[in-house]
Amino acid sequence: MRIAAGVIALLALGTALPAAAQVPKIGQLEIKAYQAIPKTKTAVQLTSDSALGRNLRREVMIRLARRGNEVGFSGGNVMRMDVQYVDLLGSSGITRGPVGGRDQNFDGPAANPRPEVPGIRIERGGPAPMSGGPTLRITLTLYSTDGGKVLWTATASCYTQASMAENAGTLMIDSIFNEADKNRIGDAGCPL
């Protein structure tokens, strides 16, 4: 009951937002380039720490380095990265099992291991239906260090299962950085 009320509240909130604040449809990406990504040093910071987020942050840092940016964890401009994996049906992989092919209970030293959550997990076979299901959303926002001005934003989302979340995230990042300096709405590069 609480989940249904939460979903209804989120849907009502989504329709009440002005058009400028609407997020792109699932399966799409949106880039707002207020200016081209500068070739200065860029620090990529996660808004919340997870194994999936750390792995996708590494992919963003690789794409920035290919563009000619010096990348690191401090200095220069700051790119905030928000990685959200949501599964309202309960098969998120958060309780047990690997996310992106890795054990999320231990992903190396200082990795913030998660304790196993007790409970019964309902297993379902086959991929998620394309009309709904578990969703991965990546949001990137580049800020300048002098004054905190937003220089560039990108948002992409896809339906994906927990076991394919890292692969889907990598494909979305590839789609974002294919033409990163252009304002556009397009295909997020979701896996089939």
Side-chain angles (χ1 to χ4, degrees):
M1 184 69 174
R2 288 182 189 177
I3 293 174
V7 170
I8 292 170
L10 286 173
L11 291 174
L13 179 65
T15 58
L17 292 174
Q22 294 287 339
V23 295
K25 295 177 186 176
I26 294 178
Q28 289 185 331
L29 66 82
E30 180 177 18
I31 296 175
K32 293 181 182 176
Y34 303 106
Q35 72 177 54
I37 298 173
K39 299 291 183 192
T40 59
K41 184 174 182 181
T42 303
V44 181
Q45 298 177 346
L46 286 171
T47 57
S48 60
D49 188 33
S50 69
L52 176 61
R54 287 188 301 273
N55 293 334
L56 294 177
R57 175 181 59 191
R58 181 179 56 245
E59 295 298 326
V60 169
M61 293 170 76
I62 289 169
R63 299 318 178 281
L64 286 169
R66 286 181 189 162
R67 291 176 48 88
N69 290 75
E70 180 185 351
V71 293
F73 293 101
S74 63
N77 293 324
V78 176
M79 182 176 284
R80 293 278 170 97
M81 181 175 184
D82 185 34
V83 177
Q84 298 174 345
Y85 181 78
V86 178
D87 182 6
L88 297 177
L89 302 175
S91 64
S92 66
I94 291 174
T95 57
R96 294 185 188 98
V99 170
R102 292 179 174 81
D103 181 8
Q104 60 183 339
N105 291 324
F106 183 76
D107 197 26
N112 264 348
R114 292 188 190 124
E116 188 169 319
V117 177
I120 300 172
R121 182 171 172 177
I122 300 170
E123 298 292 332
R124 288 184 278 275
M130 292 311 291
S131 62
T135 305
L136 176 64
R137 180 175 306 280
I138 298 173
T139 303
L140 301 167
T141 307
L142 182 65
Y143 298 92
S144 69
T145 53
D146 54 338
K149 179 182 172 185
V150 175
L151 305 176
W152 178 90
T153 65
T155 302
S157 62
C158 288
Y159 292 121
T160 185
Q161 295 295 321
S163 61
M164 296 293 296
E166 188 174 332
N167 183 48
T170 300
L171 292 172
M172 290 166 29
I173 290 167
D174 283 341
S175 293
I176 289 170
F177 283 97
N178 278 342
E179 295 182 78
D181 294 330
K182 293 182 179 179
N183 288 320
R184 64 187 172 105
I185 295 175
D187 181 38
C190 300
L192 298 175

